[in-house]
Amino acid sequence: MRSLLCVPASQPKMVEKSLTLDSDQIILDLEDAVIPADKAAARAYLREFLSTVETNKHLSLRLNELSSPFAKADIELLDGVKPHILSSVILPKINSLDDVKSWANKLPKGMKLEVQIESAMGLIKAPKIASHPQVISLAFGPADFMASAGMPSASPGTPYPEAATALQWPLMQVVIAAHAHDKIAYDGPYFQIADHVGLSRSAHTARALGVDGKWVIHPDQIALVNQAFTPTASEIAHAQEIVAAFNASSGAANFDGLMIDEASKKVAERLLERVTQIRR
Ligand code: GLV
Ligand code: MG
């Protein structure tokens, strides 16, 4: 997935609209985008929506933390949903492998789990968290992570200018933990929705770090994020040339002044695999 659109389940109009947009996945949010007073109504709406919706989009549900007073009703909601309607659940604020196991015990059997790494402890434990067989992806949550790490901020998910690039480090840790277990790595949302330049920079940086896709929180963010995570025609052509040059060599080759070897071929092949996945 390149873009995952997170929509508050308390906003039926936005949920309906999300079905018509170009994001690769829709996250129906019961957690932080829904205030406590609206959670019951949001669940009631989702019960109806999920029993009637017809879409070929990937739908996921973001649940409230297991330790919160809302989780029990979230789980009951899931019990009534036909399994094929949801492709996964999103679990926020996961801090340990035990958190994942506790969720897995309470959720319908075999449910795919996409976890958010958004605390200092979650980051430390990310490699173990990613090892759980039902976990299919890790997503970095910049806003909650900054709160947990004690990073001051004037706007969620954006560090002070003195530490402008500081979130690249935890994001890369998430990529390493996820990819070590052949799982997917996502970046969280960019909260300044009017700042398309900043969004584009954030998405391109994430991709350069090995991230597979990014959350979005506004329809206007989808196209930019899809574009950032789609290899360009020149990247594809370059990758094809590298593979061809390597295959025609005896193990290492000078390609236009660039020394290429087995590792360069792997990088190129990974990019080409990604293109195949996106076209599918
Ligand atoms: C997302 O959930 C975040 O905390 O950034
Ligand atoms: Mg969060």
Side-chain angles (χ1 to χ4, degrees):
M1 307 292 159
R2 298 161 302 170
S3 57
L4 302 88
L5 175 63
C6 188
V7 281
S10 51
Q11 308 271 341
K13 281 211 177 86
M14 284 171 73
V15 172
E16 302 289 333
K17 183 174 174 193
S18 70
L19 297 174
T20 67
L21 301 172
D22 233 9
S23 70
D24 295 333
Q25 185 167 334
I26 298 168
I27 298 171
L28 304 161
D29 190 16
L30 283 170
E31 202 224 12
D32 284 354
V34 180
I35 57 169
D38 289 349
K39 294 209 196 253
R43 268 183 228 107
Y45 165 69
L46 281 182
R47 191 168 293 119
E48 174 69 21
F49 173 78
L50 292 170
S51 66
T52 52
V53 65
E54 281 181 31
T55 177
N56 48 17
K57 290 214 176 260
H58 287 266
L59 294 181
S60 304
L61 197 55
R62 180 162 78 160
L63 309 177
N64 290 282
E65 244 182 309
L66 197 49
S67 59
S68 75
F70 312 111
K72 190 164 169 280
D74 291 356
I75 294 166
E76 282 163 10
L77 165 67
L78 269 176
D79 283 341
V81 172
K82 289 198 207 82
H84 70 273
I85 298 293
L86 283 180
S87 51
S88 66
V89 293
I90 314 284
L91 304 178
K93 302 181 178 74
I94 294 296
N95 293 321
S96 66
L97 181 58
D98 280 346
D99 283 355
V100 180
K101 288 181 181 164
S102 305
W103 268 117
N105 282 335
K106 294 193 160 54
L107 292 172
K109 218 172 149 37
M111 177 67 87
K112 289 185 182 145
L113 311 176
E114 309 208 61
V115 309
Q116 285 189 279
I117 301 295
E118 44 183 357
S119 67
M121 185 54 81
L123 189 67
I124 291 175
K125 298 292 171 71
K128 280 262 185 304
I129 292 168
S131 72
H132 190 281
Q134 276 169 262
V135 168
I136 61 164
S137 76
L138 303 187
F140 181 57
D144 275 304
F145 179 81
M146 287 183 67
S148 167
M151 295 172 74
S153 174
S155 81
T158 305
Y160 280 173
E162 293 85 343
T165 59
L167 292 184
Q168 290 181 19
W169 185 79
L171 182 57
M172 184 85 212
Q173 300 287 107
V174 169
V175 170
I176 294 167
H179 289 178
H181 294 281
D182 280 329
K183 310 289 170 80
I184 302 165
Y186 293 123
D187 190 12
Y190 187 75
F191 291 87
Q192 296 171 53
I193 48 183
D195 177 8
H196 291 182
V197 174
L199 168 68
S200 184
R201 193 186 312 118
S202 160
H204 280 280
T205 300
R207 183 179 168 229
L209 292 173
V211 171
D212 299 293
K214 184 170 172 66
W215 285 34
V216 294
I217 48 173
H218 190 279
D220 289 352
Q221 297 184 319
I222 297 171
L224 273 174
V225 167
N226 283 348
Q227 187 199 31
F229 284 94
T230 304
T232 62
S234 78
E235 278 182 302
I236 297 169
H238 184 72
Q240 286 165 337
E241 281 164 16
I242 298 269
V243 173
F246 178 83
N247 287 342
S249 78
S250 55
N254 182 332
F255 173 72
D256 278 350
L258 186 70
M259 190 63 196
I260 56 164
D261 62 4
E262 186 72 37
S264 346
K265 187 178 97 155
K266 278 188 201 146
V267 172
E269 282 177 344
R270 195 156 176 153
L271 183 127
L272 296 173
E273 267 166 37
R274 184 171 177 82
V275 174
T276 313
Q277 278 167 8
I278 291 170
R279 287 187 182 148
R280 242 189 258 131

